[in-house]
Short mmCIF file of all heavy atoms in Angstrom, two decimals:
data_model
loop_
_atom_site.label_atom_id
_atom_site.label_comp_id
_atom_site.label_asym_id
_atom_site.label_seq_id
_atom_site.Cartn_x
_atom_site.Cartn_y
_atom_site.Cartn_z
N LYS M 258 19.39 -2.03 2.32
CA LYS M 258 18.65 -1.37 3.36
C LYS M 258 17.74 -2.45 4.10
O LYS M 258 17.69 -2.39 5.31
CB LYS M 258 17.77 -0.33 2.84
CG LYS M 258 18.57 0.94 2.41
CD LYS M 258 19.14 1.62 3.52
CE LYS M 258 20.00 2.76 3.08
NZ LYS M 258 20.95 3.18 4.21
N ILE M 259 17.16 -3.20 3.33
CA ILE M 259 16.28 -4.16 4.00
C ILE M 259 16.89 -5.19 4.80
O ILE M 259 16.63 -5.50 6.02
CB ILE M 259 15.53 -5.01 2.88
CG1 ILE M 259 14.46 -4.00 2.29
CG2 ILE M 259 14.75 -6.23 3.46
CD1 ILE M 259 13.83 -4.41 1.02
N MET M 260 18.19 -5.67 4.37
CA MET M 260 18.96 -6.53 5.21
C MET M 260 19.41 -5.90 6.48
O MET M 260 19.50 -6.60 7.50
CB MET M 260 20.27 -6.93 4.23
CG MET M 260 19.91 -7.78 3.16
SD MET M 260 18.73 -9.18 3.41
CE MET M 260 19.51 -10.01 4.65
N GLN M 261 19.73 -4.64 6.50
CA GLN M 261 20.10 -3.97 7.73
C GLN M 261 18.93 -4.13 8.81
O GLN M 261 19.18 -4.52 9.95
CB GLN M 261 20.31 -2.45 7.59
CG GLN M 261 21.50 -2.04 6.71
CD GLN M 261 21.68 -0.66 6.50
OE1 GLN M 261 21.17 0.24 7.24
NE2 GLN M 261 22.42 -0.20 5.46
N VAL M 262 17.72 -3.99 8.41
CA VAL M 262 16.62 -4.08 9.26
C VAL M 262 16.39 -5.53 9.82
O VAL M 262 16.36 -5.89 11.01
CB VAL M 262 15.25 -3.68 8.51
CG1 VAL M 262 14.15 -3.91 9.59
CG2 VAL M 262 15.37 -2.24 8.21
N LEU M 263 16.58 -6.54 8.82
CA LEU M 263 16.41 -7.85 9.19
C LEU M 263 17.60 -8.27 10.08
O LEU M 263 17.28 -9.05 11.17
CB LEU M 263 16.50 -8.81 8.04
CG LEU M 263 15.29 -8.69 7.09
CD1 LEU M 263 15.60 -9.41 5.77
CD2 LEU M 263 14.03 -9.07 7.69
N SER M 264 18.80 -7.75 10.02
CA SER M 264 19.96 -7.97 10.79
C SER M 264 19.66 -7.49 12.20
O SER M 264 19.95 -8.05 13.22
CB SER M 264 21.21 -7.40 10.08
OG SER M 264 22.26 -7.58 11.02
N LYS M 265 19.29 -6.29 12.13
CA LYS M 265 19.05 -5.56 13.60
C LYS M 265 17.96 -6.35 14.40
O LYS M 265 17.95 -6.31 15.57
CB LYS M 265 18.58 -4.11 13.28
CG LYS M 265 19.71 -3.08 13.35
CD LYS M 265 19.18 -1.66 13.23
CE LYS M 265 20.39 -0.70 12.93
NZ LYS M 265 19.90 0.45 12.08
N ASN M 266 16.97 -6.80 13.68
CA ASN M 266 15.92 -7.57 14.39
C ASN M 266 16.37 -9.06 14.55
O ASN M 266 15.46 -9.87 14.94
CB ASN M 266 14.69 -7.48 13.52
CG ASN M 266 13.97 -6.23 13.70
OD1 ASN M 266 13.16 -6.02 14.54
ND2 ASN M 266 14.34 -5.29 12.84
N HIS M 267 17.70 -9.35 14.37
CA HIS M 267 18.09 -10.65 14.63
C HIS M 267 17.43 -11.81 13.83
O HIS M 267 17.39 -12.85 14.34
CB HIS M 267 18.19 -11.07 16.05
CG HIS M 267 18.82 -9.98 16.92
ND1 HIS M 267 18.22 -9.11 17.64
CD2 HIS M 267 20.15 -9.72 17.09
CE1 HIS M 267 19.10 -8.17 18.17
NE2 HIS M 267 20.29 -8.52 17.90
N ILE M 268 16.86 -11.52 12.64
CA ILE M 268 16.28 -12.47 11.94
C ILE M 268 17.27 -13.21 10.97
O ILE M 268 17.21 -14.29 10.70
CB ILE M 268 15.14 -11.83 10.94
CG1 ILE M 268 14.06 -11.36 12.02
CG2 ILE M 268 14.46 -12.78 10.03
CD1 ILE M 268 13.03 -10.47 11.47
N VAL M 269 18.28 -12.41 10.59
CA VAL M 269 19.42 -13.06 9.89
C VAL M 269 20.73 -12.73 10.57
O VAL M 269 20.81 -11.74 11.25
CB VAL M 269 19.47 -12.58 8.41
CG1 VAL M 269 18.28 -12.86 7.67
CG2 VAL M 269 19.81 -11.05 8.35
N ASP M 270 21.72 -13.53 10.39
CA ASP M 270 23.01 -13.13 10.83
C ASP M 270 23.92 -12.47 9.83
O ASP M 270 23.91 -13.02 8.78
CB ASP M 270 23.74 -14.42 11.33
CG ASP M 270 23.17 -15.00 12.60
OD1 ASP M 270 22.32 -14.30 13.11
OD2 ASP M 270 23.36 -16.13 12.94
N SER M 271 24.56 -11.37 10.07
CA SER M 271 25.31 -10.67 9.11
C SER M 271 26.79 -10.76 9.41
O SER M 271 27.24 -10.72 10.60
CB SER M 271 24.92 -9.39 9.02
OG SER M 271 25.97 -8.36 8.78
N VAL M 272 27.66 -10.96 8.40
CA VAL M 272 29.13 -10.99 8.52
C VAL M 272 29.72 -10.05 7.67
O VAL M 272 29.60 -10.07 6.44
CB VAL M 272 29.60 -12.54 8.42
CG1 VAL M 272 31.09 -12.60 8.57
CG2 VAL M 272 29.08 -13.51 9.30
N LYS M 273 30.67 -9.26 8.12
CA LYS M 273 31.23 -8.22 7.20
C LYS M 273 32.56 -8.75 6.70
O LYS M 273 32.96 -9.87 7.10
CB LYS M 273 31.59 -7.09 7.97
CG LYS M 273 30.42 -5.93 8.07
CD LYS M 273 31.03 -4.74 8.74
CE LYS M 273 29.94 -3.66 8.83
NZ LYS M 273 30.41 -2.41 9.45
N GLY M 274 33.10 -8.14 5.62
CA GLY M 274 34.39 -8.53 5.06
C GLY M 274 34.36 -9.62 4.17
O GLY M 274 33.42 -10.16 3.73
N PRO M 275 35.56 -9.98 3.59
CA PRO M 275 35.72 -10.97 2.59
C PRO M 275 35.02 -12.28 3.07
O PRO M 275 35.16 -12.68 4.21
CB PRO M 275 37.16 -11.18 2.53
CG PRO M 275 37.77 -9.84 2.84
CD PRO M 275 36.82 -9.23 4.05
N HIS M 276 34.40 -12.96 2.14
CA HIS M 276 33.63 -14.18 2.47
C HIS M 276 32.37 -13.88 3.40
O HIS M 276 31.84 -14.90 3.99
CB HIS M 276 34.46 -15.33 2.88
CG HIS M 276 35.58 -15.62 1.90
ND1 HIS M 276 35.36 -16.11 0.73
CD2 HIS M 276 36.95 -15.41 1.92
CE1 HIS M 276 36.46 -16.27 0.10
NE2 HIS M 276 37.47 -15.75 0.88
N GLY M 277 32.08 -12.57 3.61
CA GLY M 277 31.11 -12.33 4.56
C GLY M 277 29.65 -12.47 3.76
O GLY M 277 29.64 -13.01 2.78
N GLY M 278 28.61 -11.97 4.45
CA GLY M 278 27.33 -12.12 3.91
C GLY M 278 26.32 -12.39 4.93
O GLY M 278 26.51 -12.09 6.11
N PHE M 279 25.14 -13.05 4.42
CA PHE M 279 24.19 -13.25 5.53
C PHE M 279 23.91 -14.80 5.50
O PHE M 279 24.12 -15.52 4.51
CB PHE M 279 22.81 -12.61 5.02
CG PHE M 279 23.01 -11.13 4.94
CD1 PHE M 279 23.41 -10.51 3.77
CD2 PHE M 279 22.94 -10.33 6.13
CE1 PHE M 279 23.70 -9.14 3.66
CE2 PHE M 279 23.03 -8.85 6.00
CZ PHE M 279 23.40 -8.35 4.83
N GLU M 280 23.38 -15.31 6.63
CA GLU M 280 23.10 -16.70 6.93
C GLU M 280 22.04 -16.81 8.01
O GLU M 280 21.79 -15.86 8.78
CB GLU M 280 24.27 -17.41 7.32
CG GLU M 280 24.94 -16.96 8.55
CD GLU M 280 26.31 -17.67 8.81
OE1 GLU M 280 26.79 -18.47 8.02
OE2 GLU M 280 27.05 -17.29 9.85
N ILE M 281 21.31 -17.98 8.08
CA ILE M 281 20.44 -18.17 9.16
C ILE M 281 20.73 -19.67 9.45
O ILE M 281 20.38 -20.57 8.87
CB ILE M 281 18.85 -18.05 8.60
CG1 ILE M 281 18.72 -16.81 8.05
CG2 ILE M 281 18.06 -18.34 9.83
CD1 ILE M 281 17.32 -16.54 7.35
N PRO M 282 21.25 -19.89 10.74
CA PRO M 282 21.50 -21.12 11.16
C PRO M 282 20.36 -22.02 11.19
O PRO M 282 19.10 -21.53 11.46
CB PRO M 282 22.05 -21.00 12.58
CG PRO M 282 22.42 -19.58 12.78
CD PRO M 282 21.65 -18.88 11.79
N GLU M 283 20.56 -23.32 10.79
CA GLU M 283 19.40 -24.15 10.70
C GLU M 283 18.47 -24.33 11.96
O GLU M 283 17.27 -24.26 11.77
CB GLU M 283 19.80 -25.62 10.30
CG GLU M 283 18.77 -26.48 9.80
CD GLU M 283 19.23 -27.94 9.03
OE1 GLU M 283 20.33 -27.75 8.42
OE2 GLU M 283 18.48 -28.83 9.14
N SER M 284 19.15 -24.26 13.05
CA SER M 284 18.32 -24.25 14.24
C SER M 284 17.45 -23.00 14.36
O SER M 284 16.28 -23.00 14.72
CB SER M 284 19.25 -24.36 15.54
OG SER M 284 20.10 -23.23 15.51
N ALA M 285 17.96 -21.86 13.98
CA ALA M 285 17.18 -20.60 14.03
C ALA M 285 16.15 -20.61 12.97
O ALA M 285 14.98 -20.10 13.28
CB ALA M 285 18.10 -19.37 13.77
N MET M 286 16.38 -21.08 11.81
CA MET M 286 15.35 -20.97 10.78
C MET M 286 14.20 -21.92 11.13
O MET M 286 13.03 -21.72 10.68
CB MET M 286 15.92 -21.25 9.45
CG MET M 286 16.17 -22.68 9.13
SD MET M 286 16.55 -23.02 7.40
CE MET M 286 18.32 -22.71 7.38
N LYS M 287 14.36 -22.86 12.09
CA LYS M 287 13.20 -23.69 12.47
C LYS M 287 12.39 -23.09 13.45
O LYS M 287 11.20 -23.27 13.71
CB LYS M 287 13.74 -25.07 12.97
CG LYS M 287 14.22 -26.03 11.91
CD LYS M 287 14.68 -27.28 12.33
CE LYS M 287 15.03 -28.26 11.25
NZ LYS M 287 15.90 -29.49 11.61
N GLU M 288 12.98 -22.02 14.13
CA GLU M 288 12.19 -21.22 15.21
C GLU M 288 11.45 -20.03 14.53
O GLU M 288 10.37 -19.73 14.94
CB GLU M 288 13.16 -20.75 16.27
CG GLU M 288 13.82 -22.01 17.03
CD GLU M 288 12.66 -22.83 17.69
OE1 GLU M 288 11.60 -22.41 18.09
OE2 GLU M 288 12.82 -24.15 17.55
N LYS M 289 12.25 -19.23 13.63
CA LYS M 289 11.75 -18.10 13.14
C LYS M 289 10.53 -18.27 12.24
O LYS M 289 10.52 -19.08 11.36
CB LYS M 289 12.88 -17.56 12.33
CG LYS M 289 14.05 -17.04 12.99
CD LYS M 289 13.89 -15.73 13.72
CE LYS M 289 15.19 -15.47 14.61
NZ LYS M 289 14.83 -14.63 15.83
N ARG M 290 9.44 -17.57 12.53
CA ARG M 290 8.24 -17.59 11.72
C ARG M 290 8.18 -16.38 10.85
O ARG M 290 8.73 -15.37 10.95
CB ARG M 290 6.94 -17.51 12.67
CG ARG M 290 7.08 -18.54 13.88
CD ARG M 290 6.87 -19.85 13.32
NE ARG M 290 7.73 -20.81 14.01
CZ ARG M 290 7.11 -22.08 14.44
NH1 ARG M 290 5.80 -22.35 14.28
NH2 ARG M 290 7.91 -22.80 15.14
N LEU M 291 7.48 -16.60 9.67
CA LEU M 291 7.21 -15.46 8.78
C LEU M 291 6.65 -14.32 9.37
O LEU M 291 7.01 -13.19 9.08
CB LEU M 291 6.23 -16.02 7.70
CG LEU M 291 6.74 -17.10 6.79
CD1 LEU M 291 5.54 -17.41 5.76
CD2 LEU M 291 7.89 -16.61 5.98
N ALA M 292 5.88 -14.48 10.51
CA ALA M 292 5.22 -13.53 11.16
C ALA M 292 6.28 -12.44 11.77
O ALA M 292 6.09 -11.25 11.80
CB ALA M 292 4.33 -13.82 12.29
N GLU M 293 7.43 -13.01 12.26
CA GLU M 293 8.53 -12.14 12.68
C GLU M 293 8.94 -11.19 11.62
O GLU M 293 9.43 -10.02 11.89
CB GLU M 293 9.64 -13.01 13.23
CG GLU M 293 9.24 -13.75 14.54
CD GLU M 293 10.46 -14.48 15.04
OE1 GLU M 293 11.47 -13.83 15.48
OE2 GLU M 293 10.36 -15.69 15.20
N VAL M 294 9.18 -11.67 10.37
CA VAL M 294 9.72 -10.93 9.25
C VAL M 294 8.77 -9.80 8.99
O VAL M 294 9.17 -8.71 8.78
CB VAL M 294 9.94 -11.80 8.04
CG1 VAL M 294 10.45 -11.07 6.92
CG2 VAL M 294 10.81 -12.92 8.35
N VAL M 295 7.37 -10.23 8.87
CA VAL M 295 6.39 -9.14 8.58
C VAL M 295 6.41 -8.07 9.64
O VAL M 295 6.26 -6.90 9.33
CB VAL M 295 5.08 -9.79 8.48
CG1 VAL M 295 3.96 -8.86 8.31
CG2 VAL M 295 5.00 -10.78 7.32
N ARG M 296 6.43 -8.51 10.99
CA ARG M 296 6.41 -7.54 11.98
C ARG M 296 7.52 -6.63 11.88
O ARG M 296 7.35 -5.33 12.16
CB ARG M 296 6.43 -8.18 13.33
CG ARG M 296 4.99 -8.68 13.78
CD ARG M 296 4.83 -8.75 15.27
NE ARG M 296 3.51 -9.08 15.71
CZ ARG M 296 3.15 -10.44 15.59
NH1 ARG M 296 4.02 -11.41 15.32
NH2 ARG M 296 1.92 -10.71 15.86
N ALA M 297 8.65 -7.10 11.65
CA ALA M 297 9.79 -6.33 11.52
C ALA M 297 9.74 -5.25 10.36
O ALA M 297 10.28 -4.04 10.52
CB ALA M 297 11.27 -7.01 11.21
N MET M 298 9.13 -5.55 9.31
CA MET M 298 9.06 -4.64 8.10
C MET M 298 7.78 -3.71 8.16
O MET M 298 7.87 -2.59 8.04
CB MET M 298 9.08 -5.35 6.81
CG MET M 298 10.26 -6.40 6.64
SD MET M 298 11.93 -5.69 7.02
CE MET M 298 11.99 -4.47 5.75
N ASP M 299 6.73 -4.43 8.40
CA ASP M 299 5.45 -3.68 8.25
C ASP M 299 4.70 -3.46 9.57
O ASP M 299 3.57 -2.82 9.65
CB ASP M 299 4.35 -4.54 7.36
CG ASP M 299 4.78 -4.42 5.92
OD1 ASP M 299 5.64 -3.66 5.68
OD2 ASP M 299 4.16 -5.08 5.09
N GLY M 300 5.19 -3.78 10.75
CA GLY M 300 4.54 -3.70 12.00
C GLY M 300 3.45 -4.67 12.08
O GLY M 300 3.39 -5.63 11.34
N ASP M 301 2.43 -4.46 13.04
CA ASP M 301 1.45 -5.45 13.25
C ASP M 301 0.12 -5.20 12.64
O ASP M 301 -0.94 -5.73 12.95
CB ASP M 301 1.49 -6.07 14.72
CG ASP M 301 1.19 -4.97 15.50
OD1 ASP M 301 1.01 -3.83 15.11
OD2 ASP M 301 1.31 -5.21 16.82
N ASP M 302 0.17 -4.17 11.81
CA ASP M 302 -1.03 -3.85 11.03
C ASP M 302 -1.93 -5.02 10.63
O ASP M 302 -3.13 -4.98 10.81
CB ASP M 302 -0.80 -2.87 9.95
CG ASP M 302 -1.17 -1.40 10.22
OD1 ASP M 302 -0.92 -0.95 11.50
OD2 ASP M 302 -1.71 -0.73 9.33
N ILE M 303 -1.19 -5.76 9.81
CA ILE M 303 -1.91 -6.83 9.15
C ILE M 303 -2.61 -7.81 10.12
O ILE M 303 -3.55 -8.45 9.83
CB ILE M 303 -0.92 -7.67 8.15
CG1 ILE M 303 -1.83 -8.34 7.17
CG2 ILE M 303 -0.07 -8.58 8.95
CD1 ILE M 303 -1.03 -8.96 6.01
N PHE M 304 -2.01 -7.85 11.33
CA PHE M 304 -2.63 -8.83 12.37
C PHE M 304 -3.70 -8.18 13.01
O PHE M 304 -4.59 -8.96 13.56
CB PHE M 304 -1.45 -9.17 13.35
CG PHE M 304 -0.21 -9.83 12.72
CD1 PHE M 304 0.94 -9.08 12.66
CD2 PHE M 304 -0.28 -11.11 12.26
CE1 PHE M 304 2.13 -9.71 11.95
CE2 PHE M 304 0.82 -11.73 11.60
CZ PHE M 304 1.91 -10.96 11.38
N LYS M 305 -3.85 -6.86 13.15
CA LYS M 305 -4.77 -6.33 14.02
C LYS M 305 -5.70 -5.29 13.46
O LYS M 305 -6.70 -4.81 14.06
CB LYS M 305 -4.30 -5.98 15.33
CG LYS M 305 -3.00 -5.20 15.27
CD LYS M 305 -2.50 -4.65 16.51
CE LYS M 305 -3.30 -3.46 17.08
NZ LYS M 305 -2.59 -2.54 17.97
N SER M 306 -5.35 -4.69 12.35
CA SER M 306 -6.03 -3.36 11.94
C SER M 306 -7.33 -3.79 11.15
O SER M 306 -7.55 -4.87 10.52
CB SER M 306 -5.20 -2.43 11.26
OG SER M 306 -4.93 -2.89 9.98
N CYS M 307 -8.32 -2.79 11.17
CA CYS M 307 -9.58 -2.86 10.54
C CYS M 307 -9.48 -2.96 8.95
O CYS M 307 -8.78 -1.95 8.47
CB CYS M 307 -10.57 -1.74 11.00
SG CYS M 307 -12.01 -1.52 9.99
N GLY M 308 -10.15 -3.74 8.34
CA GLY M 308 -10.06 -3.79 6.91
C GLY M 308 -10.64 -2.59 6.23
O GLY M 308 -10.24 -2.31 5.12
N LEU M 309 -11.52 -1.86 6.90
CA LEU M 309 -11.88 -0.58 6.24
C LEU M 309 -11.29 0.65 6.86
O LEU M 309 -11.64 1.81 6.59
CB LEU M 309 -13.49 -0.51 6.50
CG LEU M 309 -14.31 -1.51 5.58
CD1 LEU M 309 -15.78 -1.21 5.68
CD2 LEU M 309 -13.88 -1.55 4.22
N GLY M 310 -10.21 0.45 7.71
CA GLY M 310 -9.43 1.58 8.07
C GLY M 310 -9.95 2.25 9.37
O GLY M 310 -9.59 3.37 9.74
N LEU M 311 -10.92 1.58 10.08
CA LEU M 311 -11.32 2.28 11.37
C LEU M 311 -10.13 2.38 12.27
O LEU M 311 -9.31 1.54 12.27
CB LEU M 311 -12.56 1.53 12.06
CG LEU M 311 -13.84 1.36 11.17
CD1 LEU M 311 -14.88 1.07 12.25
CD2 LEU M 311 -14.19 2.64 10.33
N LYS M 312 -10.26 3.41 13.17
CA LYS M 312 -9.08 3.52 14.02
C LYS M 312 -8.60 2.31 14.81
O LYS M 312 -7.44 2.00 15.01
CB LYS M 312 -9.30 4.82 15.05
CG LYS M 312 -9.43 6.08 14.28
CD LYS M 312 -9.02 7.23 15.18
CE LYS M 312 -9.28 8.49 14.39
NZ LYS M 312 -10.65 8.81 14.12
N GLU M 313 -9.56 1.52 15.30
CA GLU M 313 -9.26 0.26 15.79
C GLU M 313 -10.43 -0.74 15.48
O GLU M 313 -11.59 -0.29 15.40
CB GLU M 313 -8.97 0.23 17.35
CG GLU M 313 -10.06 0.80 18.14
CD GLU M 313 -9.79 0.54 19.60
OE1 GLU M 313 -8.79 -0.03 20.00
OE2 GLU M 313 -10.76 0.84 20.51
#
Side-chain angles (χ1 to χ4, degrees):
Chain M
K258 286 294 173 195
I259 291 167
M260 293 316 301
Q261 289 179 23
V262 177
L263 291 175
S264 173
K265 269 188 193 146
N266 282 272
H267 308 102
I268 292 168
V269 301
D270 291 347
S271 145
V272 180
K273 277 186 177 180
H276 304 291
F279 302 90
E280 62 190 0
I281 307 175
E283 197 166 325
S284 59
M286 78 174 81
K287 284 178 174 165
E288 294 308 317
K289 298 279 173 204
R290 309 289 145 136
L291 292 177
E293 292 183 61
V294 180
V295 173
R296 279 210 178 78
M298 308 308 299
D299 285 355
D301 56 6
D302 252 42
I303 201 174
F304 303 105
K305 46 173 288 205
S306 73
C307 165
L309 292 187
L311 299 201
K312 292 206 183 65
E313 60 171 3

